């Protein structure tokens, strides 16, 4: 039997992909959601070829029904869902004065509503088994507020607040929540930045000192693998050279 059954949003690249590889390598069955299904299929095939278990689904986290389908797939394929890693995210950073209202909307839709859709889909399933774990990828951008990252950081802090609230409402002992705050991680996240100057700046930082996404994946695995009565609430993980 699988160690854990873990659904992961944003599993087609970066931290989500690394988390899928890490958890599958440790014996979990992984259920992979994102929009780029070609990437998901390739990853799932690699996991299966290495002896692991994986299923894939086209998921746009802005659509509630897609998260319902992801959770249903976990249950039909692997009999249960133990963990939902709400990881999909975009980073349309820029100064507030740029008034990028569409970018703000997109970040709120993916980074906040996307995680809420996952909670709405998985919580009833967790409640029936009286067991479940929400892990979400927030950011150090919500801990150290920096120019150009106000709205991005705000979406991450909204999610941090939602998970902490859910934690406080769920003290019967069967639900765990974990917010992982990475600093710079070498992924494709900069592709979602529309401002060319800022995109280059973030890419340069990623090339200079960012963490390998596998480091974040190991932190997520650490939280998941604790005994069920142990809740790792927050993890901050950044390059040792990040200010
Ligand atoms: P990537 O761009 O490599 O991965 C982002 C993932 O999110 C992709 O798999 C993408 O898949 C998915 N995604 C984006 N929009 C949607 C959507 N509407 N529906 C479903 N999936 C979506 O970046 P990261 O791995 O870095 O990002 C993962 C998370 O980590 C994000 O929440 C990000 O904010 C956070 N983070 C990243 C940091 C970094 O330095 N890289 C630092 C701190 C936090 P697809 O396009 O196929 O749908």
């Amino acid at each position: 039997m699988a160690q854990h059954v873990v659904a992961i949003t944003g599993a087609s690249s970066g931290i989500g992909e690394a988390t899928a590889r890490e958890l599958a390598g440790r014996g979990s069955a992984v259920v992979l959601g994102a929009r780029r299904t070609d990437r998901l299929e390739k990853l799932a095939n690699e996991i299966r070829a290495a002896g692991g278990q994986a299923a894939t689904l086209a998921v746009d986290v802005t659509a509630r029904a897609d998260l319902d389908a992801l959770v249903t797939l976990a249950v039909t394929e692997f009999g249960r869902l133990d963990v939902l890693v709400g990881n999909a995210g975009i980073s349309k950073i820029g100064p507030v004065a740029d008034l990028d209202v569409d970018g703000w909307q997109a970040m709120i839709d993916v980074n906040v509503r996307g995680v809420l859709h996952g909670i709405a889909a998985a919580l009833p399933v967790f409640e029936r088994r009286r067991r479940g774990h929400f892990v979400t990828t927030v950011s150090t951008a919500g801990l150290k507020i920096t120019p150009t990252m106000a709205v991005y950081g705000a979406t991450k802090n909204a999610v941090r607040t939602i998970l902490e609230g859910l934690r406080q409402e769920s003290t019967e002992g069967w639900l765990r929540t974990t917010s992982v705050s990475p600093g710079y991680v070498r992924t494709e996240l900069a592709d979602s930045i529309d401002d060319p100057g800022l995109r280059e700046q973030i890419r340069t930082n990623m090339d200079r000192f960012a963490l390998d996404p596998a480091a974040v994946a190991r932190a997520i695995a650490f939280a998941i693998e604790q005994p069920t009565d142990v809740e790792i609430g927050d993890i901050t993980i950044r390059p040792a050279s990040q200010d």
Side-chain angles (χ1 to χ4, degrees), residues 4 32 42 56 63 68 70 79 81 102 106 110 126-127 176 193 220 232 240:
H4 298 96
L32 313 174
K42 185 168 177 287
T56 66
D68 290 342
L70 188 72
L81 178 70
D102 291 342
V110 176
F126 289 164
E127 195 161 14
R176 301 189 296 174
I193 302 172
I220 291 173
I232 305 293

Side-chain angles (χ1 to χ4, degrees), residues 4-37 39-41 43-44 47 53-61 66-75 78 80-89 110 114-115 117-119 121-122 126 133-137 180 213-214 216-221 224:
H4 298 96
V5 178
V6 185
I8 305 169
T9 67
S12 58
S13 63
I15 294 168
E17 176 184 347
T19 301
R21 286 185 199 284
E22 181 72 28
L23 296 177
R26 293 171 181 235
S28 289
V30 291
V31 184
L32 313 174
R35 294 164 304 174
R36 290 172 295 176
T37 48
R39 296 267 200 119
L40 295 182
E41 269 313 314
L43 174 60
I47 288 171
Q53 300 181 79
T56 66
L57 188 71
V59 169
D60 183 333
V61 295
D66 285 9
L67 271 302
D68 290 342
L70 188 72
V71 170
T72 301
L73 178 65
V75 175
F78 301 115
R80 66 189 201 278
L81 178 70
D82 297 311
V83 186
L84 176 64
V85 181
N87 164 75
V110 176
V115 172
H117 289 156
I119 292 172
F126 289 164
H133 190 172
F134 287 110
V135 178
T136 190
T137 319
V180 181
V216 183
R218 289 194 297 274
I220 291 173
I224 290 174

Side-chain angles (χ1 to χ4, degrees), residues 116 119-120 123 126-127 130 132 134 158-177 231:
L116 285 170
I119 292 172
L123 195 54
F126 289 164
E127 195 161 14
R130 299 192 72 72
F134 287 110
V159 169
R160 195 189 310 279
T161 301
I162 291 161
L163 252 67
E164 173 60 13
L166 179 59
R167 184 192 74 75
Q168 294 195 22
E169 292 166 3
S170 316
T171 49
E172 290 174 7
W174 54 265
L175 187 76
R176 301 189 296 174
T177 68
E231 180 177 59

